[in-house]
Amino acid sequence: MTENGYEDNTAFLGEWGPFQQMVFFLLCLSIIPNGFTGSFLSGQLSDRFGRKHVLFATMGVQTVFTFIQVFSPTWVVFCALFFVVGMGQISNYVAAFVLGTEILSPSKRIIYSTLGVCMFYTIGYTLLPAVAFFIRDWRMLMLALTLPGFLYVPFWWFIPESPRWLLSQGRVEEAEAILRDAARRNRVTAPEVIFQPVQLEPKAGKLVAHNICDLVRSSNIRWVSITLWLVWTILSIGYFALSLNTSNLAGSSYLNCFLSAAIEVPAYTMAWLMFRCCPRRLCLFSTLFLGGVVLLCINLIPPNLSSVSTALEMLGKFGVTAAFSIVYAYTAELYPTVVRNTAIGACSMASRVGSISAPYFIYLGGYSKSLPYILMGSLTALSGLLSLLLPESHRMPLPDTITHMQTFPGWKKRSVYKLSQSTGEEDVSDTL
């Protein structure tokens, strides 16, 4: 320990008890900043004031406060600053995800939501143990992780606002200007009339302000939301528990952390390939069930075959990671434009409930080594079965209003959202 109370290698979680790890997630990564303040608040702000403004504002918050952390005099100050960093991190991730999903055409949207965003996250994840191995001083490590954040500034002049969001707010001229600029850049001739009258009719009246309550207001969206919250929570338990457990595996903790990150590369690739052509429910169910069954199989491996157990745990991480990529894209397809950012933020909040529970699952290994895998495997497989209850969104256009949403199976009122040839909704997206 240093005189300021920090460890030089910053490997805090591996030596903390479950309560300290839970407090870490509460203060820095989880339900308070990322959930209520981050995912909860920023999601509604993004649906109210725009994706682009919230994206860059929260990226600035994350970068600036991480830089200030370098000069933290005490552990309490460090945690207080990490509170704000956690809020900014999850907020800009969700805002960037939704912005890209709404701007890109259907074919590009799939690769962006399942492979693009997640793969760059993984690149940073794999570089972290390498950087930490060579930079053992925690202040210099924080500084090295902070400086790349300032490279985001020039992108303000290249990333447009979401035309879908602008249209939902009645700002038709701004949406058309962005689409015409995109057509010019792509050397495509934009039509004289981009938005047909049928698309503008809902915007003619008074705009309705939506909030988090809309996610549970009607029976259809309520059951979709509850099911997704349960799936996100259980999925987060498996992902973070397996990530935290790398320090307990045999061998170098740096190497195990790298392997835990590297396994996400093929996982995201498989998620993208599946999402291109397979029904969404099948994609989510198969990856969750794979992760759950593999984790249960670890209990059958003899103690002397630690390498086999490690391989199975990485395979379990493979399934859970692929499912995490799929559930983000699937959730974005299920919810309409008017509450999409709020909905994904609420789901992210639900996942933080799982992340603060993850350290306790690992701690149960002190009583029985098989108990964490039994619980994680059973819950993950159960969430896979639960995902089959969700409506299908494969080859369906993104809904713009709550009435456009796909219906939850068994819901009494059936209202299928069909794309009219005259609206040209997806054709408009294709110009981007």
Side-chain angles (χ1 to χ4, degrees), residues 24 27-29 33 69 77-87:
F24 176 81
L27 288 175
C28 306
L29 300 173
Q69 275 186 292
V77 174
F78 184 89
C79 284
L81 293 171
F82 220 163
F83 178 99
V84 184
V85 172
M87 178 185 68

Side-chain angles (χ1 to χ4, degrees), residues 209-383:
H210 294 276
N211 54 48
I212 191 68
C213 297
D214 289 299
L215 301 183
V216 293
R217 198 178 301 279
S218 66
S219 299
N220 183 43
I221 194 171
R222 183 187 308 128
W223 283 111
V224 171
S225 298
I226 292 174
T227 304
L228 281 172
W229 292 342
L230 290 173
V231 171
W232 276 69
T233 300
I234 297 173
L235 187 53
S236 184
I237 291 174
Y239 181 85
F240 283 103
L242 291 174
S243 297
L244 291 173
N245 195 48
T246 54
S247 61
N248 298 324
L249 299 177
S252 169
S253 58
Y254 290 99
L255 178 59
N256 290 334
C257 181
F258 173 79
L259 292 175
S260 181
I263 197 64
E264 296 191 3
V265 174
Y268 291 138
T269 303
M270 188 189 75
W272 166 57
L273 294 174
M274 293 178 64
F275 213 76
R276 289 182 61 187
C277 55
C278 299
R280 307 322 190 201
R281 286 184 295 189
L282 177 61
C283 294
L284 188 56
F285 164 75
S286 58
T287 50
L288 282 170
F289 204 73
L290 169 66
V293 170
V294 169
L295 291 177
L296 289 173
C297 291
I298 294 178
N299 300 304
L300 305 177
I301 305 302
N304 60 320
L305 297 177
S306 59
S307 59
V308 178
S309 298
T310 301
L312 285 178
E313 181 158 336
M314 293 303 166
L315 183 58
K317 177 77 180 297
F318 173 90
V320 171
T321 300
F324 229 134
S325 174
I326 289 170
V327 79
Y328 257 100
Y330 189 15
T331 302
E333 289 185 349
L334 288 177
Y335 284 103
T337 302
V338 291
V339 293
R340 184 171 293 120
N341 217 119
T342 298
I344 295 180
C347 289
S348 180
M349 182 204 70
S351 74
R352 304 308 141 187
V353 177
S355 67
I356 64 174
S357 307
Y360 281 98
F361 280 78
I362 299 303
Y363 184 69
L364 291 174
Y367 299 96
S368 172
K369 290 187 176 181
S370 61
L371 189 56
Y373 297 108
I374 292 175
L375 290 176
M376 287 189 297
S378 301
L379 287 174
T380 304
L382 177 63
S383 67

Side-chain angles (χ1 to χ4, degrees), residues 62-82:
Q62 179 186 352
T63 301
V64 171
F65 279 84
T66 304
F67 180 75
I68 297 174
Q69 275 186 292
V70 176
F71 308 98
S72 300
T74 64
W75 172 246
V76 175
V77 174
F78 184 89
C79 284
L81 293 171
F82 220 163

